Every structure is written in C-alpha cells, then in structure tokens.
Amino acid sequence: QVQLVESGGGSVQAGGSLRLSCAASGYTYSSRCLGWFRRAPGKERAGVASIHTGSGRTSYADSVNGRFTISQDNAKNTVYLQMNSLKPEDTAMYYCAIYYGLCSGGRWAQVRNYNYWGQGTQVTVSS
C-alpha cells in the first residue's frame, strides 16, 4: 500500500526556515513525480515544487523560486522541502503527493495528476 508521510511543519517568524520531509513507502520509488502542494485558508491547493525521483529534475512555483529547495535521499525514499526566507503568505497546510510519470510540461502542478497524497503538515509564519 502506497504511503506518504509528511513531517517537519511548525510555527516560525518571518524570515525563518523550516525543512519538510515526505517519507514514501509501498511502491517502487523510481520514475515518479513527487510534488509538494499547499493549501492556505480559503484558497485552493497549489503546487509548490516537484522532483522526479528518477532524474532528480526539479520545478518550482514562481512564488517560492529562490527561497525553497526540493531534494531527495533515494536511500531513504524521502523527499525534502527546505524553506528559507519564509513569509506570512507561506502559511498553509503542506502536502506531498506522487504519481507515476514525468513531472515535465507543467503536469507536476496539476492536482488531478496525483494518485496518492499524504496527510499534510501545517506551516505557520508570523510577521
């Protein structure tokens, strides 16, 4: 059974940093597109970043490019989201999700492409 477990959320002040983790199990780890999404209060779920577990190729939303870094540890089947220079508008529930295939062509940012989702971890940034 596919399972994604997020951790690492918390409360920080603006300008601070957090690192989120997404531990994956229950399937072949390679050749998957793993994405991080977030849902702020009153808003729809939006793509933040993605990584292809085979190639390591990454993509980012414009709003986080240069501040967030997605990476993976293949030995641990874990993907990380390092978040620096956090802003109050980054406050949201963060989810990781996965599907079999490439992340390219903007597919990674489309919620409907993902087959499996984690339970989410809350990030709160105060000003």
Side-chain angles (χ1 to χ4, degrees), residues 38-120:
R38 65 187 181 186
R39 179 157 56 194
K43 296 186 177 180
E44 295 186 353
R45 198 171 301 193
V48 174
S50 72
I51 188 166
H52 189 265
T53 60
S55 68
R57 182 173 179 176
T58 59
S59 297
Y60 297 91
D62 290 343
S63 59
V64 306
N65 199 18
R67 299 188 297 123
F68 291 10
T69 303
I70 190 170
S71 62
Q72 62 180 344
D73 183 334
N74 290 347
K76 296 181 178 179
N77 284 8
T78 298
V79 172
Y80 304 98
L81 185 68
Q82 178 68 44
M83 306 186 296
N84 298 328
S85 301
L86 283 162
K87 305 175 181 179
E89 51 263 44
D90 295 317
T91 294
M93 183 71 80
Y94 283 72
Y95 302 88
C96 64
I98 199 160
Y99 67 85
Y100 181 79
L102 300 177
C103 299
S104 58
R107 293 185 64 200
W108 72 270
Q110 298 173 358
V111 171
R112 66 177 183 269
N113 290 327
Y114 290 83
N115 305 113
Y116 302 99
W117 293 80
Q119 82 289 350

Side-chain angles (χ1 to χ4, degrees), residues 8-20 67-68 81-87 123-125:
S11 297
V12 295
Q13 290 189 328
S17 298
L18 284 173
R19 188 177 80 156
L20 306 183
R67 299 188 297 123
F68 291 10
L81 185 68
Q82 178 68 44
M83 306 186 296
N84 298 328
S85 301
L86 283 162
K87 305 175 181 179
V123 171
T124 302
V125 184

